[in-house]
Amino acid sequence: MATPAQARVDLTAIRHNVALLKDQAGGAELMGAVKADAYGHGLVPCAATVLEAGVSRLGTAFVREALELRAGGVTAPILAWLITPDEPLDEALAQDIELSAADERLLDEIAAAVRRTGRTAKMHLEADTGMSRGGSPLAAWPGVLAKAMELRAEGVIEIVGLWSHFACADIPGHPSIEQQLEAFKSALKLAEQAGASGSHVIRHISNSAATMTLPDARYDLVRPGIAMYGLSPIPELGDFGLRPAMTLTAQVGLVKRVPEGSGVSYAHLYTTDRETTLGLVPLGYADGILRHATGRAEVLAGGRRRQIAGRVCMDQFMIDMGDDPLAAGDEVVLFGPGDGGEPTAQEWADTLGTITHEIVTRIGSRVPRVYEGRA
Ligand SMILES: *Cc1c(COP(=O)(O)O)cnc(C)c1O
């Protein structure tokens, strides 16, 4: 069935990016971040692809994302790192999902689930080394470790990992990077003193940006996300040889000639300066084309770049083709790898003052993901 718009996902590009990351990681294991529907690229197909390509573990934010992977037939180890009260912990344990905790309250909640289900919890303990988001502050860390050791002694939990997350790995040379590495060393030292570390406990702190630029931060495992999808974690340093996997296209709906002086779309923010051809593109802010792209972002249509003409609406926006030919059904490319002259997701991010993570994760559920390059 033809659809008004689609996001083509090139799995060959994803395999290429994973191979590149594997090289970059030295001997460290790869945990592929597939949260948020694999950054909008489609959870299960992307998970299967990155696992084939050399990723050995998967990471999600929420338990329900991890359960979706299991339901999709994924058997690899999966860590869910953002656990809030009343998550389906029993089901997570039943499905062998590894869990992260950063305080004694959550360890208690998980212990209760273990006692209900009889399934030992595989835990990654998170230290806050300076981002002040998730993780245990170092002052509270000995208490978390002591609690974890107590539960381990009772056979309630297994300690699988010790981890943290960088605040500024995408800002090379930022002083917080060294400070966080030092704090991570301290956290690991405290874990060692508590008896919570050892050769079987994996240590991890690096996202894509750190994987690309901080060899000292690899430890036993790295957790790349954005780079697997081919988008640069540090655009200022170039593309690192990564290949963007997603191409977002739409089929032109209506095409029409309008006179000079025609106000286009809501609020008439754009007015034609001569008789011209307008084309209707069936993607809008409900599909993740930010309303803020109004009059800013470009698309490729009829072989040329065209700026979005007037307001982005919920389901559609207009482009002004001048006297160039355009027909209903013609393909418009919003972004892709850039090989065919289309904008890249990076260009969209730069134009809109955001990062590519936000551009691709916002593509909505009305847009089917179509896979190319299956192995
Ligand atoms: C999202 C996320 C990652 C991956 O980050 P990228 O910048 O996409 O590489 C790694 N670890 C955690 C905890 C995350 O939330």
Side-chain angles (χ1 to χ4, degrees), residues 37-285:
D37 200 28
Y39 290 44
H41 292 65
L43 182 61
V44 172
C46 290
T49 301
V50 300
L51 287 167
E52 278 161 27
V55 161
S56 51
R57 296 169 169 270
L58 299 172
T60 65
F62 302 107
V63 167
R64 87 185 111 80
E65 298 176 304
L67 292 174
E68 220 179 294
L69 284 165
R70 285 283 183 260
V74 173
T75 57
I78 307 171
L79 166 63
W81 54 59
L82 212 176
I83 318 290
T84 53
D86 304 322
E87 293 262 16
L89 294 179
D90 295 18
E91 209 181 334
L93 294 175
Q95 296 291 333
D96 201 22
I97 308 301
E98 299 178 2
L99 302 170
S100 174
D103 66 6
E104 292 158 57
R105 181 201 63 76
L106 181 54
L107 282 170
D108 278 331
E109 204 182 308
I110 290 169
V114 171
R115 293 186 179 109
R116 281 193 301 271
T117 58
R119 307 286 292 249
T120 303
K122 296 178 180 166
M123 298 300 309
H124 294 243
L125 304 175
E126 183 187 6
D128 178 1
T129 54
M131 184 165 177
S132 310
R133 191 179 67 173
S136 163
L138 288 201
W141 183 239
V144 173
L145 292 167
K147 178 89 202 176
M149 289 305 290
E150 194 183 304
L151 293 172
R152 184 164 92 174
E154 291 171 40
V156 170
I157 71 165
E158 218 177 285
I159 300 175
V160 175
L162 298 165
W163 72 286
S164 192
H165 192 57
F166 282 113
C168 307
D170 59 340
I171 310 173
H174 194 283
S176 70
I177 295 171
E178 278 309 312
Q179 288 160 10
Q180 284 202 255
L181 274 172
E182 281 309 307
F184 193 49
K185 280 185 200 141
S186 306
L188 293 175
K189 182 115 204 139
L190 288 167
E192 195 187 318
Q193 286 161 1
S197 59
S199 58
H200 52 288
V201 177
I202 46 183
R203 302 158 299 169
H204 49 106
I205 187 170
S206 288
N207 59 2
S208 297
T211 302
M212 290 310 197
T213 55
L214 302 171
D216 289 350
R218 288 175 193 150
Y219 286 96
D220 306 309
L221 171 149
V222 294
R223 302 187 308 266
I226 197 72
M228 295 198 304
Y229 310 102
L231 301 168
S232 177
I234 313 177
E236 299 73 22
L237 297 187
D239 66 10
F240 297 96
L242 298 163
R243 283 195 219 143
M246 187 190 287
T247 301
L248 180 64
T249 67
Q251 276 199 325
V252 172
L254 183 67
V255 175
K256 61 185 169 187
R257 288 296 279 181
V258 299
E260 178 187 341
S262 301
V264 178
S265 191
Y266 289 125
H268 281 180
L269 297 178
Y270 181 86
T271 305
T272 57
D273 58 6
R274 62 199 160 117
E275 183 183 307
T276 191
T277 299
L278 294 178
L280 183 156
V281 180
L283 277 170
Y285 58 77

Side-chain angles (χ1 to χ4, degrees), residues 279-317:
L280 183 156
V281 180
L283 277 170
Y285 58 77
D287 306 300
I289 310 308
L290 302 192
R291 191 159 174 273
H292 190 59
T294 297
R296 289 194 175 87
E298 291 182 346
V299 304
L300 184 71
R304 281 181 54 184
R305 294 286 192 98
R306 307 282 173 183
Q307 207 168 58
I308 292 176
R311 266 275 187 258
V312 174
C313 308
M314 189 181 295
D315 316 301
Q316 51 195 307
F317 63 82

